[in-house]
Tab-separated table of all heavy atoms in Angstrom:
chain	number	residue	atom	x	y	z
A	1	ASN	N	2.913	-13.240	9.103
A	1	ASN	CA	4.367	-13.120	9.035
A	1	ASN	C	5.043	-14.463	8.730
A	1	ASN	O	5.998	-14.873	9.398
A	1	ASN	CB	4.911	-12.499	10.320
A	1	ASN	CG	4.624	-11.019	10.404
A	1	ASN	OD1	4.353	-10.350	9.401
A	1	ASN	ND2	4.686	-10.471	11.607
A	2	CYS	N	4.492	-15.140	7.728
A	2	CYS	CA	5.028	-16.398	7.191
A	2	CYS	C	4.845	-17.607	8.093
A	2	CYS	O	5.377	-18.687	7.803
A	2	CYS	CB	6.518	-16.255	6.840
A	2	CYS	SG	6.853	-14.980	5.617
A	3	VAL	N	4.084	-17.458	9.178
A	3	VAL	CA	3.847	-18.578	10.096
A	3	VAL	C	2.371	-18.979	10.019
A	3	VAL	O	1.476	-18.135	10.183
A	3	VAL	CB	4.196	-18.200	11.541
A	3	VAL	CG1	3.885	-19.359	12.492
A	3	VAL	CG2	5.656	-17.800	11.651
A	4	GLN	N	2.136	-20.275	9.759
A	4	GLN	CA	0.741	-20.753	9.710
A	4	GLN	C	0.116	-20.662	11.098
A	4	GLN	O	0.740	-21.002	12.108
A	4	GLN	CB	0.691	-22.194	9.207
A	4	GLN	CG	-0.732	-22.712	9.042
A	4	GLN	CD	-0.775	-24.151	8.536
A	4	GLN	OE1	0.201	-24.657	7.977
A	4	GLN	NE2	-1.899	-24.807	8.729
A	5	GLN	N	-1.145	-20.200	11.145
A	5	GLN	CA	-1.834	-19.999	12.397
A	5	GLN	C	-2.883	-21.091	12.650
A	5	GLN	O	-3.458	-21.648	11.706
A	5	GLN	CB	-2.534	-18.636	12.391
A	5	GLN	CG	-1.608	-17.461	12.178
A	5	GLN	CD	-0.565	-17.342	13.272
A	5	GLN	OE1	-0.904	-17.231	14.458
A	5	GLN	NE2	0.708	-17.348	12.877
A	6	THR	N	-3.117	-21.383	13.921
A	6	THR	CA	-4.196	-22.288	14.294
A	6	THR	C	-5.520	-21.551	14.193
A	6	THR	O	-5.652	-20.424	14.680
A	6	THR	CB	-3.995	-22.808	15.731
A	6	THR	OG1	-2.753	-23.512	15.816
A	6	THR	CG2	-5.135	-23.723	16.136
A	7	LEU	N	-6.503	-22.174	13.544
A	7	LEU	CA	-7.787	-21.525	13.322
A	7	LEU	C	-8.901	-22.206	14.090
A	7	LEU	O	-8.891	-23.434	14.305
A	7	LEU	CB	-8.141	-21.545	11.826
A	7	LEU	CG	-7.185	-20.838	10.869
A	7	LEU	CD1	-7.702	-20.988	9.425
A	7	LEU	CD2	-7.039	-19.368	11.224
A	8	THR	N	-9.891	-21.412	14.476
A	8	THR	CA	-11.173	-21.909	14.940
A	8	THR	C	-12.151	-21.740	13.787
A	8	THR	O	-12.162	-20.702	13.122
A	8	THR	CB	-11.665	-21.108	16.163
A	8	THR	OG1	-10.725	-21.284	17.235
A	8	THR	CG2	-13.038	-21.566	16.610
A	9	PHE	N	-12.985	-22.746	13.547
A	9	PHE	CA	-13.859	-22.725	12.368
A	9	PHE	C	-15.322	-22.625	12.758
A	9	PHE	O	-15.749	-23.130	13.808
A	9	PHE	CB	-13.648	-23.984	11.524
A	9	PHE	CG	-12.304	-24.042	10.875
A	9	PHE	CD1	-11.260	-24.750	11.484
A	9	PHE	CD2	-12.059	-23.407	9.670
A	9	PHE	CE1	-10.005	-24.811	10.881
A	9	PHE	CE2	-10.815	-23.459	9.061
A	9	PHE	CZ	-9.795	-24.163	9.677
A	10	SER	N	-16.086	-21.991	11.881
A	10	SER	CA	-17.550	-21.986	11.960
A	10	SER	C	-18.079	-22.494	10.633
A	10	SER	O	-17.735	-21.968	9.570
A	10	SER	CB	-18.074	-20.570	12.243
A	10	SER	OG	-19.489	-20.567	12.250
A	11	GLY	N	-18.896	-23.539	10.686
A	11	GLY	CA	-19.395	-24.140	9.458
A	11	GLY	C	-18.344	-25.018	8.796
A	11	GLY	O	-17.259	-25.244	9.335
A	12	THR	N	-18.664	-25.476	7.611
A	12	THR	CA	-17.764	-26.340	6.839
A	12	THR	C	-17.186	-25.556	5.682
A	12	THR	O	-17.930	-25.019	4.839
A	12	THR	CB	-18.520	-27.560	6.297
A	12	THR	OG1	-19.065	-28.314	7.391
A	12	THR	CG2	-17.590	-28.448	5.482
A	13	ILE	N	-15.870	-25.471	5.628
A	13	ILE	CA	-15.207	-24.796	4.500
A	13	ILE	C	-15.537	-25.601	3.250
A	13	ILE	O	-15.324	-26.812	3.205
A	13	ILE	CB	-13.687	-24.723	4.730
A	13	ILE	CG1	-13.379	-23.976	6.041
A	13	ILE	CG2	-13.009	-24.045	3.547
A	13	ILE	CD1	-13.914	-22.551	6.110
A	14	PRO	N	-16.053	-24.954	2.188
A	14	PRO	CA	-16.533	-25.689	1.010
A	14	PRO	C	-15.403	-26.255	0.170
A	14	PRO	O	-14.237	-25.903	0.317
A	14	PRO	CB	-17.324	-24.627	0.243
A	14	PRO	CG	-16.644	-23.340	0.610
A	14	PRO	CD	-16.244	-23.497	2.048
A	15	SER	N	-15.781	-27.116	-0.759
A	15	SER	CA	-14.796	-27.718	-1.663
A	15	SER	C	-14.484	-26.802	-2.839
A	15	SER	O	-13.501	-27.022	-3.556
A	15	SER	CB	-15.303	-29.068	-2.174
A	15	SER	OG	-16.522	-28.909	-2.884
A	16	SER	N	-15.295	-25.782	-3.062
A	16	SER	CA	-15.032	-24.792	-4.104
A	16	SER	C	-15.627	-23.463	-3.669
A	16	SER	O	-16.537	-23.408	-2.837
A	16	SER	CB	-15.624	-25.230	-5.446
A	16	SER	OG	-17.021	-25.332	-5.373
A	17	LEU	N	-15.101	-22.381	-4.241
A	17	LEU	CA	-15.624	-21.052	-3.926
A	17	LEU	C	-16.947	-20.800	-4.646
A	17	LEU	O	-17.223	-21.360	-5.700
A	17	LEU	CB	-14.612	-19.981	-4.360
A	17	LEU	CG	-13.301	-19.953	-3.590
A	17	LEU	CD1	-12.347	-18.948	-4.226
A	17	LEU	CD2	-13.541	-19.596	-2.129
A	18	GLY	N	-17.765	-19.938	-4.033
A	18	GLY	CA	-19.006	-19.541	-4.679
A	18	GLY	C	-18.745	-18.655	-5.884
A	18	GLY	O	-17.639	-18.150	-6.093
A	19	ILE	N	-19.774	-18.456	-6.683
A	19	ILE	CA	-19.684	-17.625	-7.882
A	19	ILE	C	-20.488	-16.360	-7.673
A	19	ILE	O	-21.655	-16.423	-7.269
A	19	ILE	CB	-20.188	-18.380	-9.120
A	19	ILE	CG1	-19.330	-19.621	-9.387
A	19	ILE	CG2	-20.210	-17.476	-10.351
A	19	ILE	CD1	-19.850	-20.506	-10.486
A	20	ASN	N	-19.878	-15.210	-7.903
A	20	ASN	CA	-20.621	-13.961	-7.871
A	20	ASN	C	-20.031	-12.982	-8.880
A	20	ASN	O	-18.961	-13.218	-9.444
A	20	ASN	CB	-20.649	-13.362	-6.452
A	20	ASN	CG	-19.297	-12.922	-5.946
A	20	ASN	OD1	-18.544	-12.218	-6.637
A	20	ASN	ND2	-18.943	-13.324	-4.729
A	21	THR	N	-20.728	-11.887	-9.107
A	21	THR	CA	-20.292	-10.890	-10.096
A	21	THR	C	-19.667	-9.674	-9.440
A	21	THR	O	-19.442	-8.655	-10.100
A	21	THR	CB	-21.488	-10.432	-10.954
A	21	THR	OG1	-22.506	-9.885	-10.085
A	21	THR	CG2	-22.080	-11.603	-11.733
A	22	ALA	N	-19.372	-9.748	-8.150
A	22	ALA	CA	-18.846	-8.604	-7.409
A	22	ALA	C	-17.411	-8.285	-7.799
A	22	ALA	O	-16.653	-9.152	-8.235
A	22	ALA	CB	-18.910	-8.876	-5.905
A	23	GLU	N	-17.046	-7.027	-7.620
A	23	GLU	CA	-15.659	-6.626	-7.769
A	23	GLU	C	-14.879	-7.037	-6.526
A	23	GLU	O	-15.427	-7.112	-5.415
A	23	GLU	CB	-15.546	-5.114	-7.954
A	23	GLU	CG	-16.104	-4.595	-9.231
A	23	GLU	CD	-15.751	-3.134	-9.452
A	23	GLU	OE1	-16.503	-2.257	-8.997
A	23	GLU	OE2	-14.707	-2.874	-10.070
A	24	VAL	N	-13.607	-7.286	-6.689
A	24	VAL	CA	-12.716	-7.448	-5.540
A	24	VAL	C	-12.389	-6.041	-5.016
A	24	VAL	O	-12.028	-5.145	-5.775
A	24	VAL	CB	-11.422	-8.180	-5.932
A	24	VAL	CG1	-10.441	-8.212	-4.760
A	24	VAL	CG2	-11.749	-9.597	-6.393
A	25	ILE	N	-12.571	-5.857	-3.715
A	25	ILE	CA	-12.397	-4.540	-3.093
A	25	ILE	C	-11.392	-4.650	-1.952
A	25	ILE	O	-11.437	-5.605	-1.164
A	25	ILE	CB	-13.726	-3.988	-2.567
A	25	ILE	CG1	-14.734	-3.830	-3.712
A	25	ILE	CG2	-13.524	-2.650	-1.855
A	25	ILE	CD1	-16.113	-3.366	-3.265
A	26	MET	N	-10.520	-3.670	-1.830
A	26	MET	CA	-9.612	-3.561	-0.700
A	26	MET	C	-10.000	-2.363	0.150
A	26	MET	O	-10.383	-1.316	-0.369
A	26	MET	CB	-8.154	-3.431	-1.168
A	26	MET	CG	-7.630	-4.678	-1.839
A	26	MET	SD	-5.812	-4.674	-1.993
A	26	MET	CE	-5.570	-3.226	-2.979
A	27	GLY	N	-9.893	-2.524	1.472
A	27	GLY	CA	-10.117	-1.407	2.386
A	27	GLY	C	-11.540	-1.206	2.856
A	27	GLY	O	-11.838	-0.245	3.558
A	28	TYR	N	-12.437	-2.125	2.509
A	28	TYR	CA	-13.843	-1.966	2.872
A	28	TYR	C	-14.496	-3.332	2.904
A	28	TYR	O	-14.240	-4.187	2.056
A	28	TYR	CB	-14.548	-1.072	1.877
A	28	TYR	CG	-16.067	-1.036	2.020
A	28	TYR	CD1	-16.662	-0.504	3.155
A	28	TYR	CD2	-16.895	-1.539	1.014
A	28	TYR	CE1	-18.040	-0.473	3.291
A	28	TYR	CE2	-18.281	-1.508	1.136
A	28	TYR	CZ	-18.849	-0.972	2.283
A	28	TYR	OH	-20.211	-0.941	2.415
A	29	TYR	N	-15.363	-3.551	3.911
A	29	TYR	CA	-16.149	-4.775	3.938
A	29	TYR	C	-17.625	-4.449	3.729
A	29	TYR	O	-18.196	-3.668	4.466
A	29	TYR	CB	-15.983	-5.563	5.236
A	29	TYR	CG	-16.629	-6.917	5.124
A	29	TYR	CD1	-15.985	-7.943	4.452
A	29	TYR	CD2	-17.906	-7.138	5.600
A	29	TYR	CE1	-16.580	-9.178	4.290
A	29	TYR	CE2	-18.535	-8.378	5.429
A	29	TYR	CZ	-17.858	-9.384	4.776
A	29	TYR	OH	-18.459	-10.604	4.579
A	30	ASN	N	-18.190	-5.061	2.725
A	30	ASN	CA	-19.600	-4.877	2.386
A	30	ASN	C	-20.484	-5.016	3.636
A	30	ASN	O	-20.402	-5.991	4.355
A	30	ASN	CB	-19.982	-5.930	1.335
A	30	ASN	CG	-21.441	-5.890	0.972
A	30	ASN	OD1	-22.071	-4.840	1.008
A	30	ASN	ND2	-21.981	-7.041	0.603
A	31	ARG	N	-21.288	-3.974	3.890
A	31	ARG	CA	-22.250	-3.909	4.995
A	31	ARG	C	-21.633	-3.559	6.340
A	31	ARG	O	-22.333	-3.388	7.324
A	31	ARG	CB	-23.021	-5.242	5.163
A	31	ARG	CG	-23.822	-5.655	3.966
A	31	ARG	CD	-24.549	-6.961	4.200
A	31	ARG	NE	-23.705	-8.143	4.025
A	31	ARG	CZ	-23.381	-8.955	4.990
A	31	ARG	NH1	-23.800	-8.734	6.231
A	31	ARG	NH2	-22.630	-10.002	4.753
A	32	TYR	N	-20.296	-3.430	6.414
A	32	TYR	CA	-19.695	-3.176	7.712
A	32	TYR	C	-18.852	-1.900	7.732
A	32	TYR	O	-19.396	-0.811	7.664
A	32	TYR	CB	-18.882	-4.397	8.163
A	32	TYR	CG	-19.746	-5.572	8.539
A	32	TYR	CD1	-19.855	-6.687	7.704
A	32	TYR	CD2	-20.477	-5.570	9.721
A	32	TYR	CE1	-20.667	-7.754	8.029
A	32	TYR	CE2	-21.299	-6.646	10.062
A	32	TYR	CZ	-21.388	-7.728	9.224
A	32	TYR	OH	-22.196	-8.773	9.545
A	33	GLU	N	-17.540	-2.013	7.794
A	33	GLU	CA	-16.701	-0.846	8.058
A	33	GLU	C	-15.612	-0.662	7.005
A	33	GLU	O	-15.285	-1.579	6.257
A	33	GLU	CB	-16.033	-1.008	9.442
A	33	GLU	CG	-16.995	-1.113	10.610
A	33	GLU	CD	-17.684	0.200	10.911
A	33	GLU	OE1	-17.189	1.257	10.492
A	33	GLU	OE2	-18.748	0.160	11.555
A	34	TYR	N	-15.051	0.553	7.016
A	34	TYR	CA	-13.876	0.865	6.208
A	34	TYR	C	-12.603	0.646	7.035
A	34	TYR	O	-12.589	0.902	8.239
A	34	TYR	CB	-13.928	2.306	5.709
A	34	TYR	CG	-14.951	2.542	4.620
A	34	TYR	CD1	-16.257	2.865	4.918
A	34	TYR	CD2	-14.593	2.404	3.278
A	34	TYR	CE1	-17.203	3.064	3.925
A	34	TYR	CE2	-15.526	2.604	2.275
A	34	TYR	CZ	-16.836	2.935	2.595
A	34	TYR	OH	-17.747	3.125	1.609
A	35	PHE	N	-11.568	0.188	6.369
A	35	PHE	CA	-10.274	-0.096	7.001
A	35	PHE	C	-9.472	1.186	7.151
A	35	PHE	O	-9.388	1.985	6.221
A	35	PHE	CB	-9.518	-1.115	6.146
A	35	PHE	CG	-8.089	-1.325	6.539
A	35	PHE	CD1	-7.775	-1.990	7.710
A	35	PHE	CD2	-7.056	-0.858	5.742
A	35	PHE	CE1	-6.450	-2.185	8.079
A	35	PHE	CE2	-5.739	-1.064	6.088
A	35	PHE	CZ	-5.425	-1.723	7.268
A	36	LYS	N	-8.838	1.380	8.314
A	36	LYS	CA	-7.950	2.514	8.525
A	36	LYS	C	-6.534	2.010	8.711
A	36	LYS	O	-6.223	1.267	9.647
A	36	LYS	CB	-8.367	3.346	9.737
A	36	LYS	CG	-7.544	4.628	9.881
A	36	LYS	CD	-8.078	5.548	10.953
A	36	LYS	CE	-7.273	6.855	10.981
A	36	LYS	NZ	-7.792	7.799	12.005
A	37	GLY	N	-5.666	2.400	7.784
A	37	GLY	CA	-4.276	1.946	7.810
A	37	GLY	C	-3.727	1.947	6.398
A	37	GLY	O	-4.167	2.735	5.555
A	38	SER	N	-2.779	1.072	6.128
A	38	SER	CA	-2.168	1.014	4.791
A	38	SER	C	-2.023	-0.442	4.359
A	38	SER	O	-1.903	-1.345	5.198
A	38	SER	CB	-0.797	1.696	4.794
A	38	SER	OG	-0.907	3.071	5.096
A	39	ILE	N	-2.026	-0.636	3.047
A	39	ILE	CA	-1.854	-1.965	2.442
A	39	ILE	C	-0.808	-1.853	1.342
A	39	ILE	O	-0.784	-0.872	0.582
A	39	ILE	CB	-3.170	-2.500	1.872
A	39	ILE	CG1	-4.168	-2.790	3.003
A	39	ILE	CG2	-2.943	-3.756	1.033
A	39	ILE	CD1	-5.549	-3.194	2.529
A	40	SER	N	0.049	-2.860	1.245
A	40	SER	CA	1.027	-2.911	0.143
A	40	SER	C	1.199	-4.353	-0.321
A	40	SER	O	0.848	-5.299	0.380
A	40	SER	CB	2.374	-2.307	0.571
A	40	SER	OG	3.065	-3.164	1.457
A	41	GLU	N	1.724	-4.493	-1.534
A	41	GLU	CA	2.104	-5.783	-2.113
A	41	GLU	C	0.991	-6.832	-2.118
A	41	GLU	O	1.240	-8.002	-1.828
A	41	GLU	CB	3.303	-6.360	-1.372
A	41	GLU	CG	4.475	-5.430	-1.189
A	41	GLU	CD	5.280	-5.800	0.037
A	41	GLU	OE1	5.780	-6.938	0.057
A	41	GLU	OE2	5.394	-4.980	0.949
């Protein structure tokens, strides 16, 4: 809601993103669960 949050970290956030051929997906996390609710914008 437009407010920056304090984070706890695991590992080192990299200097660049990894490269993969996957599609961007909404509503589902690979190997885990489907999201129940709604998404907009």
